[in-house]
Amino acid sequence: MRAITGKREFSAYVAEAVEHRLRGELIARGLEEYQEEHGRFTDEERAWADDALSGEARLPGEAA
């Protein structure tokens, strides 16, 4: 276990993992609520989000 958790206490490792999981679930829930109100994301919006997450996104009108 020490090799996985490093120098942190196991409980701190678990707390961090739970926080990460909850944050992901809250983000997913927020995206679902947004789409219920505004409609599903388009393929173009999804492609932009993929680029944004990889650090390659450009704002409209922004030079490449």
Side-chain angles (χ1 to χ4, degrees), residues 5-30:
T5 62
K7 293 183 178 181
R8 296 178 290 175
E9 293 293 325
F10 183 72
S11 60
Y13 180 83
V14 170
E16 185 179 315
V18 169
E19 181 181 346
H20 178 78
R21 171 77 183 259
L22 290 174
R23 185 177 294 120
E25 289 178 11
L26 288 172
I27 290 169
R29 190 176 306 155

Side-chain angles (χ1 to χ4, degrees), residues 4-7 9-10 12 26-27 38 41-42 45-46 53:
I4 294 172
T5 62
K7 293 183 178 181
E9 293 293 325
F10 183 72
L26 288 172
I27 290 169
H38 300 283
F41 292 116
T42 65
E45 290 169 327
R46 288 177 181 275
L53 291 171

